[in-house]
Amino acid sequence: MKLYSWNVNGLRAVVGKGFADIFAALDPDFFCLQETKLQAGQIDLDFPGYESYWNYADKKGYSGTVTFCRVHPLSVRRGMAVDKHDHEGRIVTLEMEDYFLVNVYVPNSQDELARLDYRMEWERDFCDFVLGLDKVKPVVICGDLNVAHKEIDLARPKQNRRNPGFTDEERECFSRLLSHGFVDTYRHFYPDQEGGYSWWSYRFKGREKNLGWRIDYFLVSERLLPRLERAHIHTDIYGSDHCPVSIELAP
């Protein structure tokens, strides 16, 4: 079973850059997108054999998530049932027979860390949310988590210290998820791999020079590890300032 995640940074733009062909070539069982930046009715995007579940932000042209899936879910949740967090279209959760799939776009702390305090509230509530799911059945979390966990996860850690996405507070939130039994699937296979990034700034030819950050993830409950066969970063796929990431799970 192939699961993909991609922050498309504007779905309509990526559709204009060949998204349908990319989708067909990858042949996903699940494809989770973040930062769709649209509202209901602004795009007509259907793939034969797939269902789609959307969560739109109240604010136009902002945030948003969607999950395409081949298998009909048992249930669908949008948001985490915390009103102060659930107006930005950041979470789609599908309940499958033997796990939950959480597609998430974590808030950015913004310039000068203007939104860091809110981000910390969001992280605490999100951790509670996924731990609640994990008590029921295993969880797969995927998406743009807007944090580089370790120095190995970005090209210039010293220069980016205390910048959004590389603060001690944000990194500790990621560590907290791991301490509760979630596994960073890419690091599970490649614990010492350098240069494996999923986002590059459009400035300074970041992607051309591979001056990037790994901020897009698949995390899984530890008890799913026997089914985990592969984790990959698709640096050969263009169309956004992020590239897709994926895992494969045995049936």
Side-chain angles (χ1 to χ4, degrees), residues 119-142:
R119 163 85 177 254
M120 292 300 100
E121 291 183 50
W122 195 98
E123 291 274 12
R124 287 191 290 271
D125 290 336
F126 180 71
C127 186
D128 290 343
F129 172 69
V130 295
L131 290 178
L133 297 178
D134 193 58
K135 291 178 181 178
V136 179
K137 59 182 72 174
V139 179
V140 177
I141 303 169
C142 70

Side-chain angles (χ1 to χ4, degrees), residues 11 17 53 60 71 94 155 157 165 169 182 225:
L11 182 53
K17 298 174 183 177
Y53 297 94
K60 293 182 178 180
V71 181
L94 303 188
E169 295 93 330
F182 288 97
L225 284 182

Side-chain angles (χ1 to χ4, degrees), residues 108-125:
N108 189 292
S109 295
Q110 299 184 350
D111 291 342
E112 299 183 358
L113 303 179
R115 215 180 187 201
L116 181 62
D117 289 345
Y118 171 72
R119 163 85 177 254
M120 292 300 100
E121 291 183 50
W122 195 98
E123 291 274 12
R124 287 191 290 271
D125 290 336

Side-chain angles (χ1 to χ4, degrees), residues 185-199:
T185 58
Y186 184 78
R187 286 291 169 225
H188 176 73
F189 289 106
Y190 310 105
D192 303 312
Q193 179 69 50
E194 298 181 1
Y197 307 133
S198 64
W199 173 80

Side-chain angles (χ1 to χ4, degrees), residues 147-164:
V147 61
H149 184 219
K150 301 287 190 179
E151 290 192 354
I152 195 175
D153 293 315
L154 71 166
R156 293 177 171 173
K158 292 180 180 179
Q159 295 91 322
N160 284 289
R161 182 98 177 153
R162 293 300 298 169
N163 281 345

Side-chain angles (χ1 to χ4, degrees), residues 165-188:
F166 200 58
T167 64
D168 292 343
E169 295 93 330
E170 292 162 315
R171 296 165 68 191
E172 176 56 32
C173 288
F174 191 98
S175 294
R176 187 186 311 136
L177 283 175
L178 302 187
S179 73
H180 283 297
F182 288 97
V183 176
D184 179 346
T185 58
Y186 184 78
R187 286 291 169 225
H188 176 73

